[in-house]
Amino acid sequence: MSRLAYDKGDHMGMGESERLQLSGEHWRISVLGEHLLRYEWSPQGVFEDRPTQVVTRRPFSPVRAQVRDEPGVVQVITAAFQLDYDGTEPSPQSLRVKGRGDYESAWRYGQPLPNMFGAALGLASNLGGTARTLDGADGPIAMGEGLATRNGLAVLDDSASLVIDGDRLVPRAPGTVDVYVFVHGLDHAGAVEDFYRIAGAPPLIPRWAFGNWWSRYHAYTQDEYERLMDRFAAENVPFSVAVIDMDWHITDIDPAYGHGWTGYTWNRDLFADPEGFLAGLHARGLHVTLNVHPADGIRAYEDCYPAVCEAMGRDPEAGLPVEFDLSDPAFTRAYFEQVHHPLEDMGVDFWWIDWQQGTVGTDGVDPLWRLNQAHTADMAARGRRPLILSRYAGPGSHRFPVGFSGDAVATWASLAFQPRFTATAANIGYGMWSHDIGGHVFGSHDDELATRWLQFGVFSPFTRLHSSDDPFAGKEPWNYGTVARSVMTRFLRLRHALVPYLYTEWATGAPLVRPVYHEWGDRFESYEASGEYLLGRDLLVAPITRPLDKASQTASARVWFPPGTWVDVFTGLVYRGDRFLTVRRGLKTIPVFARAGSIIPTSTGAATDNPDEIELLVVPGADASYELVEDDGALEPATARTRIEWDQAGRTLTVHPAKGATWVVPDRRRWRARVIGAEPEGDGSGSVVYLGEARAVEGLVVQLPEGTDLGSNEPAPRIHELLVAAQCAHTAKNAISELVAAGEPLDQVVALREARVRGIVHGEAAPLPEDLVEAVSEIIVADPGH
C-alpha cells in the first residue's frame, strides 16, 4: 500500500503540485522539480530528511505531473521524465526513469547509461566531473562522473553519504538506497543549478582572493620574504595573497616525535618576529595563508601542546601525542581553539590544508572532508567568509572553496590537460580549482611554458604561482628572459584589473569556469571544444598549451566559436561564429574572446578593493547590459549593484545609479570605456573614451563618438606585422604578401595552401611554411565582412 502527498491536481490527469511525494512501506519517491527526483529504499521503512555530507536540503519546486499510484504500479510523468516503478526492492527490472527527449535517455536502477555507438565514436555517456588531486599527473587522468551527460540524464548516488545530525555524522542503516536522478536533457547548466538547490551554492569568498597569489615551497627567512614582496611592489607586480609553505613551522624535529610535516610552532630561526611579519604583510596589502599537514596531531614539542592537553584533560608531562581525530569533539574544539585561533588572532587569514591524512579516518569518514567542512564552518562561526586551500573531497565540495589541485608536473602535457580539467569540474558544481601555476615538480626551465601557464592562470578561477625549492625553479618574472618577463608582468597586472568582473561572476552563483556545452549543449560541436571554456558569462578562453612554431613564431589552438560575433579582447580581431577555426598567437597574448554586445568591468589600479576608477571593456555590435556587484566583504554582506547598459543604435553608454548599500563603493568614481574592436590606438586593444567622474548614487550617460563601433579587421597591416616577425625565408614572406594582395578570401587561402615557392628549400620548389599559412589564413577568414 502506498501513500501519496499531492497538493493539487488529480491522480490521472496532468495536475499541478507544489509538493509531490509518494511512498510505500519501504520506498519513497520525491519529485523535487520538473527535472529532478529522489528515490529512497529503506529495509527498515525509515526515510531520511536530515542533511547529508552531500545534500544539505531538499526543497520542492512546483511541478505539473501525471501520477498513477496503484498496487504494483507507480508512474510519474512530467514534461522532462517518466518514472516507472513496481514498489519492490530496487533492481533494473523494478525501477526505470526515462527522459522524454531522447531514446537513449533512459536509466534502469544499477545499470550504466546507454551508450550505443559510444565505443565506436570514442565518446562516453557521462562528460566527467573532477578528481581529488593532480599529484604526479603528467597529462590526462580519470575525472569521475558529473551531472552533464550526452543522454540528458544523470544519477547522483548519495547512499554512502553520512547523515549530519547536529555535530555528529551518522551512518546510514544497512541496505539504504538514496539516489537523485537529474533529467535536464542538454541543459547542463540547469542540472548544476538543481544540484546547488539541494547541495547548497558556493559561498561568497573574499574579493581579494581573486588577485594574484605568491607561493613557493622554500625555507624563506622573514627578511627574505619581506624583501621579495617589496621588490614585487617596486616593479608594480601586484599580489593580494602571500602563501607561506610548510617551513614557517619547525620541520627539523627529534625523530622521537615523528617527522616534521605536521607542525604549528613558528620556526623562530627563520621568523624571529611572527607577529611583526604578519602585520608587515598586511600593511603591504597582502592576506596570509599558512600551509599545514594536520595528520600527526599535536605533539609534545609544540608551543600549543600544554593548552591542548589541558583542554582535553590530558597530562602534558606524559608527553604523549594528541592524535589527529576530528571525529572526537574534544579534539576538534582544541584543534581550533588552542591551535588555529591563536595563530589567526596573530594575523593568519586562512589555511592551506595540505593532504597527508589518507582517505579513511578512525571512524570511517574521509578526514579530508572533515577538515574542509570544519575549517569553513569555523571561519563562518568567527564571522569570516569561508576560504581554505584544500583538495577536492567529493560531490558537495563546492561549499568549501578553494581547490588545491596538488603538485603539478611542470611539462607541456600537464599544462595541456589543466584547462579541460578545470572546466569539466563545473559538471559537478566545482568551478574553483587553484593550480600550481607554472608547475611544481620535475620539468625544465622553459620561458614559453612558464609564460603560457601564467596566461592560463590569469584566465582561470585563481592565479597562484608556485614552485619547488629548486633554486632555479622560482616563478619570479625576472627569472625569465626579457620577452617572457614583460609578458608575465603585464598578465599579472591584468589579473588584478579583472577582479571586478571575476568577483561579480562568482557572486552570480554559477561556476566561474564552465565548458562551452553548458551554454550551447544543443550543438554537437560544443562537445568537441575541450580546449576552451567560458570564464564568467561573457569571456571565451582558449589557452595556448603548446610551443611556438618556428616560422610564424606563433602557437595554435583550435577554437569553436559559438553562434554570433566574437571579438579578441587583445587584438580587436572580429570573428564570425558558428564554426571551428584554428587560431594562432605569439607569446604576448592568448585567444580570449568576448561576444558582440558585452560589457566587462575592470579596474585600473593594482588593489583588489572596490575601485575608484573603472574601465569598461565594451564590445559593440549589439545592445549590452551588465550588473556590477560590489559589497563590504562581510559574512552577511551589504551589497551595491550598478547596472551598466550599452545602446548600440545610439552609441550610448549608461551607468545607472548604484542601488542597495551604496556606502560600500566610493562616493565618487571615475569611469572610462575601452571599445574593443573599434579603431585601435596602436596595440589593437581598442579605442579608449574617458566618460568622466560621477557620484555612485547619480550615475552618468555618455554618447560615444563615431568610430566606436566594430571596425574593419584590416587584414593587410595585420598580415604584414606577422610576416615581419616570421622566422623563415624571405622568398616565403614575399610570396605570401603577393598572394594575399588580390583575390577573394577563399581564393587567397587556397592560393596560400597550393603555392610552391623556390628559395625555401635548396634546389626545389617547396610549400610555404604550414604554420605561417595557417596564421595568415586565420586573419583572412576571421570575418571577411569586417
Side-chain angles (χ1 to χ4, degrees):
M1 185 68 80
S2 69
R3 303 186 303 277
L4 173 68
Y6 192 33
D7 291 351
K8 298 179 181 178
D10 56 65
H11 278 226
M12 298 304 296
M14 185 70 77
E16 183 175 341
S17 171
E18 293 180 359
R19 186 177 186 275
L20 177 53
Q21 193 172 69
L22 303 92
S23 60
E25 184 179 358
H26 295 289
W27 59 270
R28 185 168 71 169
I29 295 168
S30 304
V31 181
L32 300 177
E34 200 84 9
H35 303 271
L36 176 61
L37 65 94
R38 181 192 189 196
Y39 170 82
E40 297 170 89
W41 173 266
S42 169
Q44 298 78 24
V46 178
F47 307 112
E48 192 55 74
D49 291 319
R50 291 171 295 179
T52 71
Q53 289 177 281
V54 176
V55 177
T56 59
R57 56 194 178 187
R58 303 173 186 90
F60 286 85
S61 181
V63 61
R64 288 183 57 80
Q66 181 177 345
V67 178
R68 184 181 177 192
D69 180 23
E70 301 170 3
V73 179
V74 177
Q75 187 176 74
V76 179
I77 301 174
T78 73
F81 65 81
Q82 175 178 324
L83 174 145
D84 293 282
Y85 178 50
D86 67 7
T88 64
E89 188 169 354
S91 70
Q93 295 76 37
S94 67
L95 177 61
R96 181 186 70 166
V97 179
K98 289 182 8 180
R100 302 189 69 188
D102 188 328
Y103 72 94
E104 280 199 283
S105 181
W107 171 73
R108 289 186 178 275
Y109 178 83
Q111 293 191 332
L113 292 173
N115 196 18
M116 189 176 299
F117 300 109
L121 297 174
L123 302 175
S125 293
N126 194 288
L127 295 166
T130 196
R132 192 177 185 103
T133 181
L134 288 177
D135 279 343
D138 190 11
I141 64 168
M143 292 185 286
E145 293 195 342
L147 301 175
T149 72
R150 295 176 188 272
N151 310 70
L153 182 152
V155 178
L156 176 69
D157 190 345
D158 198 36
S159 306
S161 186
L162 275 68
V163 173
I164 300 174
D165 185 8
D167 293 331
R168 299 183 306 139
L169 287 177
V170 181
R172 306 288 190 107
T176 295
V177 173
D178 190 359
V179 296
Y180 296 81
V181 186
F182 295 75
V183 194
H184 290 77
L186 300 179
D187 178 15
H188 309 304
V192 173
E193 219 176 293
D194 256 348
F195 178 56
Y196 285 166
R197 189 160 64 88
I198 64 172
L204 281 176
I205 61 176
R207 183 184 178 96
W208 44 259
F210 294 102
N212 298 312
W213 300 26
W214 175 257
S215 177
R216 186 182 179 192
Y217 177 36
H218 176 70
Y220 285 107
T221 66
Q222 181 169 339
D223 289 343
E224 185 182 8
Y225 202 95
E226 290 171 343
R227 286 197 305 271
L228 177 61
M229 296 301 106
D230 289 341
R231 180 169 180 184
F232 281 136
E235 300 206 8
N236 194 20
V237 178
F239 285 92
S240 62
V241 176
V243 182
I244 319 296
D245 212 319
M246 61 177 288
D247 286 293
W248 71 271
H249 65 75
I250 298 171
T251 58
D252 184 13
I253 65 172
D254 187 330
Y257 296 115
H259 58 71
W261 282 89
T262 296
Y264 302 96
T265 301
W266 282 95
N267 184 338
R268 300 278 175 163
D269 291 335
L270 298 178
F271 298 91
D273 177 16
E275 294 90 344
F277 174 63
L278 296 173
L281 292 180
H282 288 149
R284 291 169 171 85
L286 294 160
H287 298 80
V288 185
T289 181
L290 302 183
N291 174 286
V292 287
H293 295 81
D296 285 337
I298 314 301
R299 291 163 292 174
Y301 71 88
E302 299 278 15
D303 289 347
C304 59
Y305 180 74
V308 170
C309 287
E310 181 180 352
M312 297 189 66
R314 305 275 188 91
D315 178 10
E317 295 300 322
L320 296 175
V322 179
E323 300 292 345
F324 173 82
D325 183 6
L326 288 184
S327 67
D328 178 356
F331 175 80
T332 302
R333 282 194 299 274
Y335 174 81
F336 285 108
E337 294 175 5
Q338 310 303 327
V339 181
H340 286 82
H341 290 176
L343 290 165
E344 291 170 12
D345 294 341
M346 186 184 291
V348 177
D349 295 291
F350 67 106
W351 297 95
W352 175 6
I353 307 167
D354 220 330
W355 176 43
Q356 299 289 329
Q357 300 81 30
T359 59
V360 180
T362 55
D363 59 348
V365 180
D366 183 351
L368 177 62
W369 185 91
R370 278 194 183 276
L371 276 164
N372 292 351
Q373 189 278 334
H375 271 277
T376 52
D378 182 70
M379 292 188 74
R382 302 195 84 197
R384 301 161 67 187
R385 290 190 178 181
L387 181 66
I388 55 174
L389 181 62
S390 185
R391 288 170 173 81
Y392 176 77
S397 291
H398 62 275
R399 300 192 301 270
F400 316 134
V402 300
F404 166 48
S405 66
D407 295 340
V409 177
T411 62
W412 284 100
S414 182
L415 170 60
F417 178 59
Q418 283 194 3
R420 179 160 66 95
F421 179 79
T422 306
T424 302
N427 293 340
I428 196 64
Y430 198 74
M432 58 183 69
W433 276 120
S434 168
H435 301 298
D436 288 352
I437 297 302
H440 174 62
V441 293
F442 309 125
S444 58
H445 189 95
D446 185 328
D447 281 19
E448 271 189 65
L449 175 60
T451 304
R452 292 306 194 190
W453 216 318
L454 176 60
Q455 291 169 329
F456 158 65
V458 166
F459 287 92
S460 69
F462 300 94
T463 307
R464 179 178 52 83
L465 279 66
H466 188 70
S467 63
S468 71
D469 197 29
D470 186 314
F472 302 104
K475 298 304 188 299
E476 297 91 341
W478 50 82
N479 285 345
Y480 298 89
T482 303
V483 175
R485 175 179 179 174
S486 172
V487 175
M488 288 177 169
T489 299
R490 184 165 64 93
F491 269 79
L492 288 167
R493 293 170 184 164
L494 173 59
R495 175 67 184 200
H496 278 230
L498 286 169
V499 167
Y501 174 74
L502 296 171
Y503 185 77
T504 298
E505 293 303 302
W506 180 278
T508 67
L512 191 56
V513 166
R514 299 173 294 145
V516 290
Y517 51 72
H518 273 225
E519 188 160 338
W520 290 277
D522 58 338
R523 299 298 302 272
F524 71 91
E525 298 96 332
S526 68
Y527 299 95
E528 300 298 321
S530 61
E532 65 192 77
Y533 53 81
L534 292 166
L535 178 63
R537 287 165 288 180
D538 291 311
L539 293 179
L540 178 68
V541 183
I544 298 291
T545 60
R546 64 186 68 188
L548 296 170
D549 288 302
K550 184 177 185 302
S552 64
Q553 289 295 288
T554 65
S556 66
R558 185 169 182 259
V559 177
W560 179 62
F561 288 94
T565 299
W566 296 82
V567 184
D568 187 302
V569 300
F570 290 113
T571 69
L573 195 62
V574 182
Y575 292 79
R576 175 174 53 82
D578 203 9
R579 58 175 175 161
F580 278 99
L581 184 65
T582 297
V583 303
R584 286 187 162 270
R585 297 293 182 271
L587 194 61
K588 293 182 180 180
T589 66
I590 62 170
V592 179
F593 310 97
R595 60 183 109 203
S598 59
I599 299 171
I600 312 294
T602 68
S603 170
T604 61
T608 57
D609 300 332
N610 299 330
D612 293 319
E613 182 176 56
I614 289 181
E615 179 173 279
L616 302 172
L617 306 187
V618 179
V619 184
D623 292 344
S625 67
Y626 192 87
E627 187 171 76
L628 177 66
V629 176
E630 300 167 288
D631 60 44
D632 62 353
L635 181 62
E636 299 294 335
T639 303
R641 298 176 180 271
T642 306
R643 176 158 291 280
I644 305 155
E645 294 182 328
W646 165 253
D647 174 53
Q648 176 65 31
R651 297 196 313 280
T652 302
L653 195 57
T654 302
V655 178
H656 291 276
K659 301 294 184 183
T662 56
W663 60 89
V664 306
V665 299
D667 178 59
R668 300 192 68 84
R669 178 173 266 170
R670 299 180 301 280
W671 297 84
R672 66 187 195 185
R674 183 179 296 272
V675 186
I676 305 298
E679 297 298 327
E681 293 193 328
D683 61 357
S685 60
S687 175
V688 176
V689 178
Y690 291 89
L691 306 177
E693 184 177 304
R695 295 192 65 215
V697 295
E698 294 175 354
L700 52 79
V701 180
V702 179
Q703 185 177 42
L704 271 58
E706 293 190 16
T708 50
D709 204 342
L710 289 182
S712 168
N713 275 343
E714 299 184 1
R718 293 178 185 272
I719 292 171
H720 180 76
E721 182 181 2
L722 179 68
L723 292 176
V724 168
Q727 304 291 297
C728 65
H730 292 298
T731 54
K733 295 186 181 188
N734 287 315
I736 291 172
S737 184
E738 292 172 2
L739 289 170
V740 300
E744 295 300 315
L746 178 59
D747 295 333
Q748 293 171 340
V749 172
V750 171
L752 289 170
R753 296 193 178 280
E754 296 299 325
R756 298 295 182 271
V757 177
R758 294 191 178 275
I760 298 176
V761 176
H762 181 72
E764 61 181 87
L768 295 167
E770 184 176 348
D771 60 300
L772 190 53
V773 167
E774 200 167 61
V776 172
S777 298
E778 176 199 348
I779 297 171
I780 292 171
V781 304
D783 190 339
H786 278 86

